[in-house]
Amino acid sequence: MASIIEIKQLSIGYSETKNHKLVAQNLNATLHEGEMTCLLGANGQGKSTLMKTMCGFLNPLAGYISLNGKRISTLSEKQMAKQIAIVLTEKISVPNATVYELVAYGRSPFTGFLGKLNSTDKDIVNKSIEQCGIAHKKYSLLSTLSDGERQKVTIAKALAQDTPFILLDEPTAFLDLPARVEIMQLLRQLATKSGKAILMSTHDLDLALQMADKLWLLHTNNVICGSPEDLLLTNAFQPMFSKGGVAFDNKTGLFTVQYQHFATLPVKGHGFEYVLLRRAFARKGIKLVQCKQAERFWINITNNDALPFTIMKDNCDIAKFNSVEQVVKTILKQLSAKNQLVKNQELILQ
Amino acid sequence: MTKYITYIKNLNPAYFKIGGLIFLVIALFCLNLGLGSVHIPLSSLIDIISGEEINNIVWQNILTRSRLPQAIVSLSAGMALGIAGLLMQTLFRNPLAGPSVLGISSGASLGVGFVILVAGQFFGFSFSRLGIFGDLSLLLAAFAGSLGILLIILIISKKIGGTLAVLIMGVMIGYLSNSLVGIMKFYSLEEDVHTYVMWGLGSFSRLSLGRAQLFIILTVIPSISCLLLSKWLNLLALGENYAVNLGLKIQRARVIIILLSGVLTATVTAFCGPIVFIGMAVPHLAKLVSRTSNHFILILNAGIIGSATTLLCNLIARLPGLDSALPINSVTAFIGAPVVISVIWKRRRENLADN
């Protein structure tokens, strides 16, 4: 597959007359046609700066970006407009604009001095609107649309621009989960069907892992590129999210929040009920341990029972529950009650 | 014939509205000629307009020296201010922007203030005693002042990138020139200050027929040129980043838009004095009439509705029954302020949703 964008030894940042503010350096990456790539990175790692540099809004501090073999710094505004289409985080709010009008502005690089559309332009505009699934809203005012629909209109505008490369800065921010998935699926289809190279920055790692062809993991000193599976294989995600109570599970591709625990609680049992109980107690700083030897105080789990949770003390059951919340409440009450605390200290507190 | 009908059917409905608005302007123009403190019969009106001599010299004078130039001046001033205001509102993406926002009318005030308040002191005469020559020098002073400020704004916008920065600079320059005028006023003769205040109230009735004709030419040419900017304005409305991504040379576009809007404002202020509110209110009406974001139609709307509004204001200012005409700025504010208030009121939901 032909590469559309090539980034070589790129340093990005903001240069003022005297001091340069370097954001990231030593970046090497390529984008291929027909692929959707997700750009991931922690806040402040320079995702937006990289995107702005790729659009030509910022000049690279060192290195270069080439677009179909030409360096972007040598391209004029008009030439750039025919190569890169962008979708930004900032909301477009044009008074009175209809969906059709806004998408039609995407044809601007091709229209004449007064911006009049010819029949080819109109066909492309209509096709773009259809591809993004907003044909039924074609003549609606922009201000009447939901956030998800608005984002689709902006993507349709980028499509109408008919460029080989589309760049999207956090297109799924501010959207609810179904809308996020919908937008990502739309972009996937566009990449596969139209052969465009699509680069989007996002914080949705789980969606990116499932839907992107390639991932770019941006670090201050390099960018790691590869398919999601290969990156999982090489354990590339760990360093990215190593700080602050979050653990990345390579096998599931999911995050787990890590809690500090101050006490342990013996439990007999397993299954779904056990998993739920463990999660609820983890939030409160209590770690569940399997009850191996005889304990004075433990919780017994009977799977598929009407009252699955039993609090046991000295081999007698104190109480039975069907709600996890009730179990947690009862245990915490016992812990905070002073006399119980002393009594049960050796049992519950480490 | 059928071809003709399908052509009409395919025409943007906005053009029909524009046709209707042009008709409204013509009607208001005729009312401006026909109504006034002196009643002139319709038949005589038509005779005078069509150039026939009638024996009532007073009527003829009222029409050709007062009502006709006033109507022409109102028409052109409204068109120019409406379009200039629309350009500023789109460039700054701010519904409260207007032609005066860049300090151009303050520049005109500064020029005029300098001539009326300072020159008189230096040369030892009171300005109000000068006749025709004074009139012309006021015109030139206003032009010089506003174009001077325009030049400064253009240089600033070339030097610094952001649109918002240009806006703030413009407002600041406006304050500076106002305070300079304040100092001049403080040290001036009372009658000069009065002359200056009268100039500042704005008027459509200062110009002779010949000057009015010059005025309409000076405003129509830049107004029509603005239509050529409609594609740029459409892109700028999307926001600067999107505009650049769609191939707009933003620096050049910004300078030319400021230049055209500035020339329009400077011309109107030089000939009529500072006219408030029209430039801010009319663009809102233009957007209300046609639900489109296409600036080709919006500019046409703004020009025509601007003309209609000023003609209406001029009519109200000279309502029969009033001994003398009201200052035009009081009338424009009374028409303009409610428009702006109602638009903001209607839009408040939309704005909340946007923010």
Side-chain angles (χ1 to χ4, degrees), chain B residues 110-345:
Chain B
L110 188 63
V112 169
F114 190 77
V115 170
I116 297 181
L117 304 171
V118 179
Q121 299 245 338
F122 267 102
F123 301 111
F125 57 82
S126 171
F127 196 84
S128 49
R129 283 178 216 135
L130 284 175
I132 292 290
F133 171 70
D135 193 33
L136 195 68
S137 63
L138 278 195
L139 201 76
L140 291 177
F143 249 124
S146 47
L147 292 180
I149 297 289
L150 181 60
L151 196 69
I152 295 174
I153 296 285
L154 286 177
I155 291 170
I156 289 174
S157 76
K158 271 230 151 207
K159 288 255 173 191
I160 50 176
T163 306
L164 187 66
V166 176
L167 181 65
I168 293 170
M169 293 287 180
V171 173
M172 289 304 125
I173 288 174
Y175 280 129
L176 281 179
S177 33
N178 282 346
S179 84
L180 280 178
V181 169
I183 295 171
M184 288 186 217
K185 271 189 198 162
F186 187 74
Y187 288 109
S188 298
L189 299 173
E190 210 168 300
E191 45 189 336
D192 285 343
V193 174
H194 180 74
T195 314
Y196 177 79
V197 169
M198 289 312 284
W199 179 84
L201 285 176
S203 167
F204 292 147
S205 55
R206 290 196 195 116
L207 305 184
S208 65
L209 189 56
R211 288 266 177 81
Q213 283 162 344
L214 173 69
F215 182 60
I216 196 170
I217 292 169
L218 284 180
T219 48
V220 162
I221 292 171
S223 297
I224 289 176
S225 319
C226 288
L227 282 174
L228 301 177
L229 304 182
S230 51
K231 182 178 172 182
W232 293 358
L233 290 163
N234 288 342
L235 293 182
L236 276 172
L238 301 176
E240 288 189 15
N241 285 337
Y242 280 117
V244 172
N245 179 246
L246 287 166
L248 182 70
K249 285 187 178 143
I250 196 150
Q251 199 74 356
R252 185 184 68 178
R254 198 187 286 144
V255 165
I256 291 176
I257 288 168
I258 291 177
L259 183 72
L260 270 181
S261 164
V263 165
L264 282 171
T265 315
T267 312
V268 173
T269 316
F271 281 84
C272 310
I275 306 292
V276 297
F277 263 115
I278 295 292
M280 195 202 282
V282 165
H284 292 292
L285 287 175
K287 288 171 200 165
L288 211 63
V289 167
S290 297
R291 279 278 177 197
T292 176
S293 66
N294 184 358
H295 276 75
F296 192 80
I297 288 165
L298 287 180
I299 290 173
L300 284 174
N301 271 355
I304 297 165
I305 294 173
S307 295
T309 316
T310 40
L311 282 169
L312 182 69
C313 289
N314 195 42
L315 209 58
I316 294 171
R318 297 182 300 116
L319 270 186
L322 291 174
D323 285 342
S324 55
L326 296 170
I328 196 70
N329 270 339
S330 323
V331 183
T332 55
F334 261 100
I335 302 262
V339 167
V340 175
I341 291 171
S342 72
V343 166
I344 299 293
W345 189 261

Side-chain angles (χ1 to χ4, degrees), chain B residues 48-91:
Chain B
I48 299 170
I49 300 283
S50 55
E52 271 177 55
E53 288 288 317
I54 62 160
N55 44 16
N56 193 330
I57 196 78
V58 178
W59 287 356
Q60 193 155 358
N61 277 346
I62 287 177
L63 204 66
T64 55
R65 293 203 181 160
S66 163
R67 289 190 193 169
L68 186 61
Q70 264 193 55
I72 292 176
V73 171
S74 314
L75 179 104
S76 337
M79 172 187 63
L81 290 175
I83 292 176
L86 178 68
L87 259 55
M88 289 296 102
Q89 289 190 0
T90 302
L91 178 67

